[in-house]
């Protein structure tokens, strides 16, 4: 990607010393993937410093920059000693100040700070930031000397020195790396006690390959932790600038951080050997990730700015992944820190590994912002409490997301909107996968799945989109969170990786879980072992299929040769629609999430009959409500057969966590099934939207009476029912006005569902318990209903 026209670099990090006198175990320079520091000089030589300063001045002059920001960094810059420090500061001011105002800063661990250094910093007007993670317990968790000794006391002495009147102007603030194992209240109190001008709360550097620790499988612990500090900070009257909170403020406070927001990250690094590098945090991704192949001796700043990695970080929205670009809070979070987006094979074209935390934190901040009426708060789905949701609903609706919400309020949703919902559901599954990493065994198949995501991403996407992957991951996380697991809940990652490898024909060998004598491969089928007593089997991918070895017995399955299948293999039912990826799902163990008994494996005759009924029903939907059918073709993935209820009544259902799946009881009439498919698809679609947006005020106790139920219903249930009935009214309206023999009941049923929907919308609008987005959504439904006359 070319650099934006006229792109200029105004921020520089000079790595003046590449070693450190602390041994912090969370340090991205020494403890993560990039180890290039080992081959670099300990100190930046004078000729290197002079060359870098000349390049900076040259660039400032060429681009007429009024101010240039330079940060001395390391390693630990104070290891230079006072004399060498003075020479560097003098050289920078001499070279740059004739061209631009020089804002000089330094980031240090502080343990060597003394009055001699402070006098130099006053002389050269250097602002000094100190790293401190909180109270003694918090700071000593990571920031220790190599011999294990605490750094807390010397760091606090440094901070006391900077607070003194003669050095107070040199005090820039405190940098604190978040660790959710620490007490947020104690950390906040400790930081505030040091009277800093600013606090930087930094998320620890992690990637999708190495996700952050999420204790107990909680998907948003960092938002919860930061949210506690934010509440204290707001209650205290915002006594100090906290840059992350300022940057995410809905009123648009500018905070100059590359961690969030869409502002250009116009920053480059100069290493001790004079090489130009990208942002230092990229060292967490892979060895050499920050490299450019350019040096201050041979290349200008303009050449460094045109490096693809640097240019991408200056390109704003265009440089983000498709998921981020369509996200309602993208202008706030900006996709998160660039380094946190990395995943092997996909590079940085991903949301932040902290995506769910950033969304949740934005919601928390908005609920506390004066004069702000947030439209979203944490949601509850799949049985996980709201505070442990993998994806929380979004706090601010951008123009793109407003269009999506308004579009589906009309009842159908165009392909772009449905694809947005599909992608958001896939993002939830990926977040749950990341959360489950902590519970994974060493041989779980995680590394294989990561490799497959890099080599066969479309196949990974197809498997992860299967509706029952999310319920299975939720069960795994819920089981891991219990003090004593009630029943075994196998790690699903190995089965997912195996299914992808088999589908893609990628050679692999791994252990897959056996539960109840069955090995389940999502989207492929189930192998029922002829014996019990084993909890794992060895699966080897072979040409056209796989070999399964359990209890010493091999079982070969050639997926392309049904006549050779062993007796234990039950494949997923073939799809009834030749042009759509829709399956009859009667095998997946996680399909029992509807509160109804699901049917077991259908034999050939019943399976074929259901397939024919579904196919005919789909054709009727395409005939009657083609826009609904188009949306279903994008988002619906499975039809789950239910047992006949004791009453013999018609039965259909959806589950919030199983997006894209519709469960139906035995129905022989395709016309009736078409109505039920459209009805349940509406529930599934609205459920996906409710994972992202709050339409009802959280915690509202209001209940409404509706025509289709005898009991008062919670508002979200009324909204779900009205949305489904809006589509049903459209089906019957289409049948009533069609140029063909009309169903004698069509007009009556169309009128009934129009009346039911209209009454429910009136009650919802009058409830006073809808969010702003909810009011808009209801009005969109009302406009769509008015067209059915």
């Amino acid at each position: 990607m070319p650099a934006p026209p006229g792109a200029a670099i105004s921020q520089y990090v000079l790595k003046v010393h590449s070693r450190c006198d602390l041994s912090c175990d969370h340090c991205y320079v020494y403890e993560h993937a990039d180890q290039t520091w080992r081959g670099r000089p300990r100190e930046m030589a004078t000729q290197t410093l002079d060359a870098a300063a000349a390049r900076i001045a040259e660039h400032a002059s060429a681009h007429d920059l009024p101010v240039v920001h330079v940060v001395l960094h390391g390693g630990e810059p104070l290891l230079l000693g006072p004399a060498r420090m003075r020479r560097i500061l003098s050289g920078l001011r001499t070279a740059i100040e004739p061209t631009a105002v020089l804002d000089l800063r330094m980031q240090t661990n502080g343990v060597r700070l003394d009055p001699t250094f402070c006098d130099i910093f006053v002389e050269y007007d250097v602002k000094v930031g100190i790293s401190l993670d909180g109270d003694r317990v918090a700071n000593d968790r990571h920031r220790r000397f190599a011999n294990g000794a605490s750094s807390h006391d010397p760091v606090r002495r440094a901070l006391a020195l900077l607070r003194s009147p003669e050095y107070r102007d040199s005090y820039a603030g405190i940098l604190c790396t978040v660790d959710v194992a620490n007490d947020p209240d104690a950390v906040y109190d400790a930081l505030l006690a040091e009277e800093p001008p600013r606090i930087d709360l930094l998320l620890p550097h992690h990637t999708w390959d190495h996700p952050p620790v999420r204790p107990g499988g909680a998907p948003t612990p960092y938002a919860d932790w930061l949210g506690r500090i934010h509440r204290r900070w707001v209650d205290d009257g915002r006594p100090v600038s906290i840059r992350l909170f300022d940057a995410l403020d809905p009123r648009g406070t500018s905070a100059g951080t590359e961690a969030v927001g869409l502002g250009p990250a116009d920053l480059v690094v100069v290493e001790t050997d004079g090489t130009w590098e990208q942002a230092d945090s990229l060292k967490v991704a892979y060895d050499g990730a920050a490299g450019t192949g350019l040096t201050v001796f041979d290349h200008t700043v303009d050449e460094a700015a045109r490096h693809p990695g640097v240019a991408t970080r200056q390109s704003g929205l265009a440089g983000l992944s498709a998921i981020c670009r369509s996200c309602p809070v993208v202008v706030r979070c900006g996709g998160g820190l660039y380094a946190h987006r990395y995943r092997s094979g996909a590079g940085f074209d991903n949301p932040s590994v902290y995506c769910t935390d950033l969304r949740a934190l934005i919601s928390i901040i908005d609920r506390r912002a004066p004069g702000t009426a947030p439209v979203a708060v944490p949601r509850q789905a799949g049985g996980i409490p709201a505070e442990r949701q993998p994806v929380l609903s979004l706090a601010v609706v951008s123009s793109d997301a407003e269009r999506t919400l308004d579009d589906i309020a009309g009842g159908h949703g165009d392909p772009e909107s449905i694809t947005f919902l599909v992608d958001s559901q896939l993002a939830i599954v990926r977040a749950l996968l990341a959360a489950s990493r902590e519970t994974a065994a060493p041989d779980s198949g995680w590394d294989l799945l990561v490799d497959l995501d890099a080599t066969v991403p479309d196949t990974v996407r197809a498997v992860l989109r299967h509706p029952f992957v999310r319920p299975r991951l939720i069960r795994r996380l819920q089981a891991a969170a219990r003090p004593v697991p009630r029943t075994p809940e196998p790690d699903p990652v190995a089965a997912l990786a195996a299914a992808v490898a088999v589908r893609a024909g990628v050679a692999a060998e791994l252990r897959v879980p056996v539960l109840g004598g069955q090995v389940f491969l999502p989207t492929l089928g189930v192998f029922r072992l002829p014996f019990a007593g084993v909890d794992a089997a060895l699966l080897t991918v072979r040409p056209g299929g796989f070999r399964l070895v359990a209890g010493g017995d091999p079982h070969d399955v050639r997926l392309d040769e049904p006549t050779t299948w062993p007796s234990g293999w039950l494949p997923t039912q073939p799809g009834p629609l030749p042009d759509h990826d829709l399956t009859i799902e009667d095998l997946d163990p996680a399909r029992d999430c509807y509160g109804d008994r699901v049917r077991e494996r259908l034999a050939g005759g019943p399976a074929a009959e259901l397939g024919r009924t579904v196919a005919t029903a789909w054709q009727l939907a395409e005939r009657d409500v083609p826009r609904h059918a188009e949306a279903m073709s994008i988002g619906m993935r499975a039809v789950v057969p239910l047992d006949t209820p004791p009453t013999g009544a018609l039965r259909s259902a959806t589950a919030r966590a199983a997006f894209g799946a519709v469960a139906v009881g035995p129905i022989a009439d395709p016309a009736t099934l078409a109505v039920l498919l459209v009805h349940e698809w509406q529930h599934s679609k609205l459920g996906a939207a409710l994972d992202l947006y709050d339409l009802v005020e959280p915690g509202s106790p209001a209940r409404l009476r509706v025509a289709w139920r005898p009991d008062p219903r919670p508002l979200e249930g009324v909204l779900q029912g009205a949305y489904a009935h809006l589509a049903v009214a459209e089906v019957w309206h289409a049948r009533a006005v069609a140029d063909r023999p009309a169903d004698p009941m069509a007009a009556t049923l169309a009128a009934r569902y129009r009346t039911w929907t209209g009454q429910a919308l009136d009650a919802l609008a009058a409830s006073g318990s809808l969010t702003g987005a909810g009011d808009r959504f209801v009005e969109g439904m009302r406009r769509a209903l008015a067209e059915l006359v």
Side-chain angles (χ1 to χ4, degrees):
M1 178 181 296
I9 301 295
S10 66
Q11 302 180 68
Y12 302 84
V13 174
L14 302 190
K15 307 300 283 293
V16 293
H17 203 290
S18 68
R19 302 297 189 270
C20 189
D21 44 2
L22 291 185
S23 186
C24 307
D25 61 12
H26 59 6
C27 179
Y28 61 87
V29 175
Y30 305 111
E31 301 296 332
H32 285 284
D34 189 294
Q35 293 294 299
T36 52
W37 65 273
R38 297 180 182 275
R40 291 199 166 107
R42 287 178 176 269
E43 295 183 14
M44 181 176 284
T46 298
Q47 65 182 37
T48 304
L49 184 281
D50 291 344
R55 291 295 191 193
I56 295 170
E58 172 189 56
H59 187 74
S61 177
H63 291 270
D64 197 23
L65 296 178
V67 181
V68 169
H69 309 273
V70 175
V71 180
L72 303 189
H73 211 282
E76 171 48 54
L78 293 183
L79 287 173
L80 290 168
R84 181 74 181 138
M85 180 67 73
R86 180 186 294 277
R87 168 65 182 85
I88 285 178
L89 297 174
S90 174
L92 288 169
R93 290 221 174 268
T94 299
I96 298 171
E97 287 204 319
T99 303
V101 173
L102 176 59
D103 173 32
L104 267 175
R105 296 176 180 269
M106 185 184 71
Q107 187 64 39
T108 172
N109 61 37
V111 298
R112 292 174 179 264
L113 191 68
D114 60 17
T116 301
F117 272 121
C118 287
D119 287 339
I120 294 172
F121 297 145
V122 169
E123 179 182 354
Y124 287 95
D125 191 17
V126 180
K127 307 300 182 187
V128 180
I130 302 286
S131 298
L132 177 74
D133 286 350
D135 60 349
R136 182 180 298 276
V137 171
N139 198 68
D140 287 354
R141 195 180 297 279
H142 301 289
R143 297 188 186 276
R144 290 180 174 270
F145 290 95
N147 64 3
S150 169
S151 68
H152 190 248
D153 288 340
V155 174
R156 292 204 64 211
R157 284 195 294 270
L159 288 164
L161 195 58
L162 288 175
R163 286 199 308 275
S164 62
E166 60 268 41
Y167 303 131
R168 179 74 193 190
D169 286 345
S170 296
Y171 191 5
I174 293 176
L175 182 152
C176 170
T177 300
V178 172
D179 188 328
V180 294
N182 295 327
D183 180 350
D185 290 301
V187 168
Y188 174 74
D189 290 337
L191 297 179
L192 214 59
E194 303 298 340
E195 302 175 13
R198 166 175 279 176
I199 295 172
D200 268 357
L201 297 173
L202 302 184
L203 292 168
H205 290 320
H206 287 280
T207 68
W208 287 101
D209 289 356
H210 300 285
V213 172
R214 298 183 182 277
T220 59
Y222 297 88
D224 299 341
W225 195 94
L226 289 165
R228 176 59 190 165
I229 289 184
H230 183 267
R231 285 189 287 274
R232 289 282 309 279
W233 179 67
V234 171
D235 290 344
D236 290 346
R238 295 175 169 84
V240 61
S241 170
I242 297 182
R243 187 154 63 161
L244 179 61
F245 298 158
D246 290 340
L248 292 175
D249 191 287
R251 296 163 295 179
T253 304
S254 174
T257 172
E258 65 171 337
V260 296
L262 288 176
D266 63 331
L267 177 149
V268 292
V269 177
V270 181
E271 279 287 353
T272 55
D273 60 358
T275 56
W276 291 115
E277 289 208 334
Q278 303 172 62
D280 219 28
S281 55
L282 290 178
K283 295 179 185 296
V284 73
Y286 57 88
D287 195 47
T292 66
L294 310 176
T295 74
V296 296
F297 304 108
D298 302 317
H299 303 92
T300 66
V301 177
D302 278 323
E303 290 175 286
R306 287 193 292 270
H307 183 276
V310 178
T312 296
R313 293 168 53 251
Q314 291 185 296
S315 57
L317 188 66
L320 301 182
S321 69
I323 292 175
C324 287
R325 291 197 301 271
S326 62
C327 176
V329 296
V330 67
V331 295
R332 304 278 290 285
C333 80
L337 188 71
Y338 190 69
H340 296 169
R341 306 173 201 165
Y342 180 75
R343 186 171 72 243
S344 296
F348 299 92
D349 190 27
N350 311 286
S352 167
V353 74
Y354 290 103
C355 174
T356 55
D357 289 286
L358 290 171
R359 288 179 174 182
L361 181 58
I362 287 170
S363 184
I364 290 169
I365 289 172
D366 282 6
R367 292 200 301 275
R368 303 282 290 175
T372 300
V375 300
V377 296
R379 303 295 306 147
Q380 181 162 334
I384 294 182
E387 66 273 12
R388 297 198 42 215
Q389 280 303 295
V391 168
L392 295 106
S393 45
L394 309 175
V396 170
V397 180
S398 72
S399 59
D400 285 346
E402 275 188 5
R403 194 205 69 81
T404 297
L405 199 61
D406 291 342
D407 182 42
I408 64 171
H412 318 100
D414 63 20
E416 183 180 350
S417 298
I418 303 305
T419 300
F420 172 75
L421 294 179
V422 168
D423 287 343
S424 73
Q425 291 294 300
L426 183 62
I428 291 175
V429 171
R430 286 191 178 276
L432 285 166
L433 271 172
S436 70
R437 175 70 182 272
E438 185 183 353
T439 71
D443 60 348
S444 66
W446 181 272
D447 291 339
L448 173 60
L449 190 57
V450 169
D451 290 342
L452 291 168
D453 203 19
T455 56
V456 288
D458 289 344
T459 310
V460 172
R461 177 183 172 88
V463 172
L464 295 186
R465 276 197 60 189
H466 189 62
F468 301 106
V469 173
R470 179 177 170 185
R472 187 173 292 103
L473 289 167
I474 289 173
R475 290 181 184 182
R476 172 72 174 181
L477 291 170
Q478 288 174 328
R482 296 186 192 111
V484 180
R486 295 193 296 266
T487 57
E489 191 64 43
D491 186 350
V493 173
L496 291 169
V500 173
V502 172
R503 286 176 59 127
V506 175
E509 183 175 273
L510 73 165
R511 289 170 58 82
V512 292
V514 176
L515 188 64
Q518 296 189 150
V519 174
F520 177 68
L521 301 179
T523 75
L524 291 176
V526 165
F527 199 99
R528 293 177 175 169
L529 298 173
F531 51 82
V534 296
D535 57 9
L538 182 67
L539 184 143
T540 304
V541 180
R542 311 186 105 190
F546 60 93
R547 166 170 283 190
L548 200 66
V549 179
D553 296 333
H555 307 277
D556 291 315
V557 177
R558 285 291 303 267
L559 298 177
D560 55 350
E561 294 183 4
T563 58
T564 67
W565 286 343
S567 60
W569 175 244
L570 298 175
T572 299
Q573 299 278 14
L577 306 175
D579 299 326
H580 300 302
D581 184 16
L582 183 75
T583 62
I584 303 297
E585 183 56 82
D586 58 359
L587 288 174
D588 195 316
R591 74 191 189 283
D592 62 345
C593 55
Y594 295 102
D596 284 290
R597 196 170 69 177
V598 294
R599 294 183 70 179
E600 293 302 320
R601 177 65 167 184
L602 298 179
E609 180 182 354
L610 177 56
R612 287 191 296 269
T613 306
V614 169
T616 304
W618 197 281
Q619 292 171 353
L620 295 176
E622 290 177 326
R623 180 198 70 186
D624 296 331
V625 281
R627 293 182 63 189
H628 281 293
E630 180 184 38
M632 288 161 54
S633 70
I634 297 171
M636 194 181 295
R637 284 293 174 270
V639 174
V640 177
L642 296 175
D643 264 350
T644 305
T647 62
L650 292 175
R651 184 73 181 108
S652 62
T654 50
R656 178 72 167 271
F659 173 76
V662 170
V664 295
I667 300 169
D669 177 26
T672 300
L673 181 57
V675 175
L676 292 179
L677 289 178
V678 172
H679 176 278
E680 296 301 341
W681 165 243
Q682 290 294 93
H683 285 313
S684 191
K685 185 170 53 178
L686 183 55
L690 288 168
D691 276 343
L692 300 174
Y693 310 94
D694 263 320
L695 304 182
V696 174
E697 290 290 353
S700 171
R703 289 180 172 263
L704 299 175
R705 290 196 174 275
V706 292
W708 61 88
R709 290 283 296 260
D711 52 327
R713 303 293 295 156
L715 267 65
E716 196 166 288
V718 175
L719 184 63
Q720 280 276 11
Y723 192 60
H725 289 150
L726 173 62
V728 172
E730 186 175 353
V731 175
W732 287 115
H733 175 75
R735 292 178 180 179
V737 300
D739 287 332
R740 56 178 179 270
D743 185 319
M745 288 296 295
T748 300
L749 291 171
R752 175 188 300 171
Y753 283 101
R754 282 198 306 268
T755 300
W756 285 1
T757 305
Q759 291 172 345
L761 295 179
D762 289 343
L764 285 166
S767 69
S769 295
L770 298 179
T771 65
D775 284 329
R776 192 171 66 251
F777 194 84
V778 165
E779 286 306 307
M781 290 174 62
R782 199 191 299 277
R783 287 192 296 272
L785 184 66
E787 296 177 5
L788 301 180
V789 293

